[in-house]
Amino acid sequence: MRSSPLVLGVLASGRGSNLQAILDAIDAGRCPARVAVVVSDRKDAPALERARQAGTRAVHLDPRAYPDRPAFDGAIATILDGVGVELVCLAGYMRVLSAELVRRYRSRILNVHPALLPAFRGLDAQRQALQHGVKVAGATVHFVDEGVDTGPIVLQAAVPVLDDDTEATLAARILAEEHRLYPEAIRLYAEGRLEVAGRRVSVRAGA
Ligand code: GRF
């Protein structure tokens, strides 16, 4: 049984604009969830400050203080479990999750990626798109599996690539879609409307 509002834990390494979009959507009543904790591997991540501003618990964990990735992720899991997290949202989280963490929250971890997966996985997706010369780019929200940006796709939105685009202008156009899609995907999850069958995620009709 999912609680209402759904309890979220957000992992973020940087700017935190997707975290902000989630917080804003919750405030506006567009996303029946509550961010219980934000964890960052970077002490100076603006995402932590955004969390504090919103009155949300903000935790920095230094990966260098742990012997390996499973140990670091174990510490993250302890924090997430401690607040009763139901859904983990990666929002600009720059570390690959250990297989243990993925297994622990199987089908309960979402990520947002600035490309139309399966194209342009990994880092600098917008640069990859420009270098490849695609005419359409976009954003993807997907469940996280053991691979990098390989999990089942929940929602996607496309944007045009313009002739005079730079990495920055394309990233900004994509980011606006990320900010729309991510709270929407969380809402669908919270409402129990996402059905995962292998790689395919279908959205059940709402009440
Ligand atoms: C976003 O483009 C997201 O798709 C990618 O990293 C960026 C994070 O931005 N995974 P922000 O920290 O949410 O502002």
Side-chain angles (χ1 to χ4, degrees), residues 18 89-92 109-122 125-126 136-144 148-159 171 173-186 199 201:
N18 278 288
C89 296
L90 309 186
I109 312 177
L110 290 177
N111 181 43
V112 63
H113 184 72
L116 290 175
L117 291 173
F120 313 130
R121 295 192 274 128
Q126 302 93 334
V136 178
T140 302
V141 176
H142 64 94
F143 283 109
V144 173
V148 175
D149 304 322
T150 51
I153 292 168
V154 178
L155 294 175
Q156 291 188 302
V159 302
R173 195 173 307 120
I174 293 171
L175 195 62
E177 293 303 316
E178 295 182 39
H179 294 167
R180 191 174 62 76
L181 287 189
Y182 213 171
E184 168 74 3
I186 295 167
R199 288 210 48 83
V201 181

Side-chain angles (χ1 to χ4, degrees), residues 43 45 47-60:
K43 193 174 184 337
L48 287 176
E49 188 47 36
R50 290 185 196 261
R52 289 185 204 106
Q53 289 289 331
T56 297
R57 186 157 163 231
V59 181
H60 165 240

Side-chain angles (χ1 to χ4, degrees), residues 7-201:
V7 182
L8 304 181
V10 177
L11 306 187
S13 300
R15 177 177 61 179
S17 71
N18 278 288
L19 165 67
Q20 193 67 57
I22 294 166
L23 290 166
D24 292 349
I26 291 171
D27 268 358
R30 285 185 281 115
C31 186
R34 168 173 78 82
V35 181
V37 67
V38 174
V39 181
S40 181
D41 57 324
R42 301 264 306 265
K43 193 174 184 337
D44 56 355
L48 287 176
E49 188 47 36
R50 290 185 196 261
R52 289 185 204 106
Q53 289 289 331
T56 297
R57 186 157 163 231
V59 181
H60 165 240
L61 284 185
D62 185 351
R64 291 168 303 190
Y66 298 84
D68 53 24
R69 190 192 314 234
F72 179 67
D73 282 359
I76 291 180
T78 301
I79 292 171
L80 296 176
D81 287 349
V83 295
V85 159
E86 298 175 279
L87 180 68
V88 181
C89 296
L90 309 186
Y93 186 63
M94 299 308 286
R95 305 179 70 81
V96 175
L97 301 188
S98 62
E100 288 86 347
L101 196 62
V102 172
R103 272 201 297 271
R104 188 184 190 104
Y105 298 102
R106 168 89 53 210
S107 295
R108 293 195 294 141
I109 312 177
L110 290 177
N111 181 43
V112 63
H113 184 72
L116 290 175
L117 291 173
F120 313 130
R121 295 192 274 128
L123 292 175
D124 300 321
Q126 302 93 334
R127 186 184 310 166
Q128 293 184 53
L130 285 177
Q131 282 175 351
H132 199 89
V134 293
K135 301 297 183 193
V136 178
T140 302
V141 176
H142 64 94
F143 283 109
V144 173
D145 65 9
E146 282 83 353
V148 175
D149 304 322
T150 51
I153 292 168
V154 178
L155 294 175
Q156 291 188 302
V159 302
V161 179
L162 307 180
D163 289 344
D164 59 355
D165 262 336
T166 62
E167 220 177 303
T169 57
L170 179 58
R173 195 173 307 120
I174 293 171
L175 195 62
E177 293 303 316
E178 295 182 39
H179 294 167
R180 191 174 62 76
L181 287 189
Y182 213 171
E184 168 74 3
I186 295 167
R187 180 174 70 80
L188 293 171
Y189 184 92
E191 292 173 352
R193 291 170 57 193
L194 297 180
E195 219 164 304
V196 185
R199 288 210 48 83
R200 299 188 69 176
V201 181

